[in-house]
Amino acid sequence: MDLKALYNLSYGVYVTATLDKGRPVGCVTNSVMQVTASPATVAVSVNHDNFTNRCIQENGYFSVSILTTQASPAVIGTFGFSSSKHTDKFENIPYRTVQGIPVLQDCCGYIVCRVMDKMESSTHTVFLGEVVDAGGYTGDEPMTYAYYHNVIKGKSPKNAPTYVPEDSPAPAPDAPKGKNTTRWVCSICGYVYEGDKLPEGFVCPICGQPASAFVKQEP
């Protein structure tokens, strides 16, 4: 069975956020869909292991910030590959609050929802939210999950609904390739650069980490 066939389903790349006793928290999500138009309702799937999941259940509200193809890699790296339980993800990410809930400034639109209901699977909670506010459309191109995989060469966080364990880290598209090539693996997100050495000033295109975060693997 080739689970990569599921990549052909339509997904976006979003940051879903809420509050933890007044502190902004959030994580990357890709399974978000509009369920009804009137009243407007939205569903989002959040892994049980995400700290944001518990916070949404306690707070009763969440926001969805729609990332664009021009989104900073630091946004995906910060919200996709670390936990809000131990990290202030919003410390260096510009945001504002709408209806008291944090939304990113680096997005092409946002949606704020009140939790109406939820459904549990073995690994994820699907929150059904009534839209209480929305806006911020800039005209920038929304990032699709296909774009994230095929253009940015991104790797799925292990808590993503679309995570496939057999995934191997994606090599940089402009790096020399071959079984005898040295591999440099990002210790944060798993991105792989292939080449004898990392270029001067290199940063991970997925999570924005510097060259010091890469581990060298000899051929």
Side-chain angles (χ1 to χ4, degrees), residues 4-16:
K4 290 184 177 63
L6 295 173
Y7 290 167
N8 292 320
L9 294 175
S10 180
Y11 300 98
V13 182
Y14 316 96
V15 168
T16 295

Side-chain angles (χ1 to χ4, degrees), residues 35 41-46 53 56-57 60-62 113-120 124-131:
V35 179
T41 57
V42 169
V44 59
S45 177
V46 185
N53 183 311
I56 292 175
Q57 302 203 47
Y61 286 83
F62 65 88
C113 297
R114 176 183 63 83
V115 176
M116 301 171 60
D117 205 346
K118 64 176 183 174
M119 181 186 71
E120 299 290 350
H124 287 70
T125 304
V126 179
F127 294 100
L128 179 66
E130 179 184 6
V131 177

Side-chain angles (χ1 to χ4, degrees), residues 69-163:
T69 55
Q70 304 303 312
S72 167
V75 172
I76 297 175
T78 297
F79 287 92
F81 296 94
S82 61
S83 172
S84 290
K85 185 174 183 179
H86 309 292
T87 305
D88 181 1
K89 296 185 180 182
F90 287 85
E91 181 179 10
N92 298 311
I93 304 295
Y95 74 98
R96 61 192 178 99
T97 58
V98 177
Q99 301 288 334
I101 305 300
V103 298
L104 301 191
Q105 292 186 12
D106 187 7
C107 70
C108 63
Y110 66 83
I111 305 164
V112 179
C113 297
R114 176 183 63 83
V115 176
M116 301 171 60
D117 205 346
K118 64 176 183 174
M119 181 186 71
E120 299 290 350
S121 74
S122 59
T123 59
H124 287 70
T125 304
V126 179
F127 294 100
L128 179 66
E130 179 184 6
V131 177
V132 297
D133 209 328
Y137 184 71
T138 64
D140 293 335
E141 184 81 15
M143 184 185 299
T144 65
Y145 211 56
Y147 182 95
Y148 175 70
H149 275 289
N150 299 329
V151 179
I152 299 180
K153 303 298 181 182
K155 181 182 178 184
S156 302
K158 67 180 181 64
N159 287 344
T162 54
Y163 175 69

